[in-house]
């Protein structure tokens, strides 16, 4: 398994003193909320995530999955088959984010309505 050291959160004294900042640092990223949304629906292979998120590049998807894995939110399971099969799922720690993401969605909908926009 590839070393995840390069994908871990960087030292940030503000995050170390603020639980909200620490939580936001984990889910902050262009594609992380969408990845978490897809994995909340169940285990997915890389190609299934790419299909569900067609605008994301393979490189960006890989980096953000590795970051989520380094933070203990996503599990990556490798199956010794030919060809090798890799599946991604939420860890127990990641599943705990489900309610938070639901609340963020509701807040976001209300915010968009106040701005005169509709959720897509």
């Amino acid at each position: 398994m590839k070393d995840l050291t390069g994908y871990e959160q960087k030292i940030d004294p503000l995050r170390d003193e603020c639980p909200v900042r620490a939580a936001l640092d984990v889910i902050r990223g262009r594609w992380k909320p969408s990845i978490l949304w897809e994995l909340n629906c169940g285990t997915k292979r890389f190609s299934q995530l790419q299909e569900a998120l067609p605008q994301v590049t393979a490189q960006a998807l890989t980096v953000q999955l590795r970051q989520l894995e380094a933070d203990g939110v996503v599990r990556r399971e490798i199956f010794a088959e030919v060809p090798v099969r890799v599946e991604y799922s939420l860890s127990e720690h990641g599943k705990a984010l489900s309610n938070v993401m639901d609340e963020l969605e509701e807040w976001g909908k209300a915010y968009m309505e106040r701005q005169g926009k509709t959720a897509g």
Side-chain angles (χ1 to χ4, degrees):
M1 183 168 114
K2 186 174 180 181
D3 182 26
L4 295 175
T5 306
Y7 296 99
E8 293 173 344
Q9 294 285 341
K10 305 299 182 234
I11 295 171
D12 180 356
L14 293 174
R15 183 189 71 235
D16 293 343
E17 297 172 9
C18 179
V20 173
R21 181 178 285 274
L24 290 175
D25 280 352
V26 172
I27 62 172
R28 182 187 63 209
R30 172 129 176 124
W31 299 105
K32 286 181 185 179
S34 298
I35 292 167
L36 293 170
W37 180 264
E38 290 300 324
L39 293 178
N40 192 47
C41 297
T43 300
K44 301 264 191 308
R45 294 177 74 171
F46 188 86
S47 61
Q48 292 172 309
L49 288 169
Q50 278 187 305
E51 188 176 304
L53 307 168
Q55 297 91 349
V56 66
T57 65
Q59 180 181 5
L61 182 57
T62 298
V63 167
Q64 298 219 334
L65 280 166
R66 292 295 174 108
Q67 289 171 343
L68 289 166
E69 184 183 3
D71 286 328
V73 175
V74 167
R75 283 186 63 237
R76 180 174 181 256
E77 190 170 1
I78 302 168
F79 296 87
E81 301 173 352
V82 177
V84 173
R85 178 170 50 111
V86 179
E87 292 183 345
Y88 296 90
S89 61
L90 293 178
S91 66
E92 288 304 313
H93 189 62
K95 289 176 185 174
L97 275 172
S98 181
N99 291 336
V100 173
M101 297 300 286
D102 289 343
E103 290 293 324
L104 279 172
E105 179 184 22
E106 290 305 313
W107 188 91
K109 284 179 185 177
Y111 175 78
M112 292 174 75
E113 286 175 12
R114 284 193 307 276
Q115 299 297 316
K117 301 174 184 171
T118 58

